[in-house]
Amino acid sequence: MKKVIYALMLSLVVVSGLVFANREIKNETSKKSFPKPLSAAERKAEMKKWEATPDGIQFKKWEASPRGKKVYAAEAKIRKQISAFTNMEGVVTSLSLPSGSRLGFGVMARINGDDYIVRFEPEKSQLEQLHSLKVNDKIIIKSHNVSHAPKYSYPIVSCDYVERDGKVIFKRVPRKGGC
């Protein structure tokens, strides 16, 4: 009887040791999968390294060009409304984006005297209402984000909300499962 109890105890110790060792291995792999964020000095060094690449040099030239300065000035004009998520009045100037654009569905609109690319991420059910937009339609836009790219001569407004004639025609649906 004693031999059976010792055999069971020994097997229990071996199995629990294997389980514990396996848990430590899983913890080590999960720790390695998340790289720690870079410090400010490391970010600055990486930025300097990127600026020395051909893409970085081209971007810096674009920023210093009149075209880049115009884009940054237009972004600055609407920065307050973007950060406060307030209404911006606009007029649709074109129903198509610049040629070669890979931004998805969008229109060109004039807001505060400057032209912008207004980009949408619509659901299929929202497409019909967005396709009903016409040139010279007055719209109310709300957005959380404005960006730019050297490829385009206009700032890019990622639209969250559009209203025409007091009626909501587009409201961005939040992504499922996270940000």
Side-chain angles (χ1 to χ4, degrees):
M1 181 75 166
K2 282 185 178 182
K3 288 181 182 178
V4 173
I5 292 175
Y6 285 126
L8 287 174
M9 291 293 276
L10 181 63
S11 63
L12 181 64
V13 169
V14 170
V15 169
S16 62
L18 289 173
V19 168
F20 184 72
N22 191 21
R23 187 176 67 88
E24 284 185 11
I25 291 170
K26 285 183 181 178
N27 286 344
E28 287 176 18
T29 57
S30 66
K31 287 178 186 174
K32 291 179 184 176
S33 65
F34 295 109
K36 68 177 189 174
L38 299 175
S39 68
E42 291 171 329
R43 265 196 314 264
K44 200 175 222 181
E46 287 294 320
M47 187 67 159
K48 287 283 185 193
K49 196 187 303 181
W50 177 78
E51 287 174 352
T53 65
D55 287 339
I57 293 168
Q58 183 180 359
F59 184 77
K60 283 296 191 185
K61 283 181 183 176
W62 175 81
E63 279 185 321
S65 72
R67 196 171 122 189
K69 288 178 181 177
K70 178 183 168 235
V71 169
Y72 278 119
E75 280 183 28
K77 275 186 172 180
I78 63 169
R79 182 68 59 198
K80 275 187 183 177
Q81 288 107 335
I82 294 289
S83 58
F85 196 64
T86 57
N87 292 345
M88 295 182 282
E89 291 184 20
V91 177
V92 176
T93 58
S94 174
L95 299 176
S96 61
L97 296 177
S99 61
S101 172
R102 291 185 164 189
L103 295 172
F105 182 76
V107 297
M108 296 294 297
R110 181 164 289 128
I111 305 169
N112 295 340
D114 286 316
D115 287 330
Y116 295 85
I117 296 173
V118 180
R119 184 174 84 87
F120 303 97
E121 292 181 22
E123 299 269 323
K124 286 187 178 184
S125 61
Q126 297 169 321
L127 279 172
E128 186 177 326
Q129 292 175 327
L130 288 172
H131 282 299
S132 71
L133 285 172
K134 296 180 181 77
V135 175
N136 294 326
D137 275 354
K138 292 184 182 184
I139 56 176
I140 304 291
I141 300 168
K142 286 186 182 180
S143 175
H144 282 293
N145 185 29
V146 62
S147 60
H148 55 268
K151 180 178 179 179
Y152 305 108
S153 300
Y154 310 100
I156 304 162
V157 176
S158 297
C159 196
D160 292 323
Y161 174 89
V162 175
E163 182 180 308
R164 180 184 58 198
D165 299 328
K167 185 179 178 187
V168 176
I169 61 170
F170 174 77
K171 187 172 184 179
R172 186 179 68 83
V173 177
R175 291 185 181 150
K176 294 176 181 153
C179 299

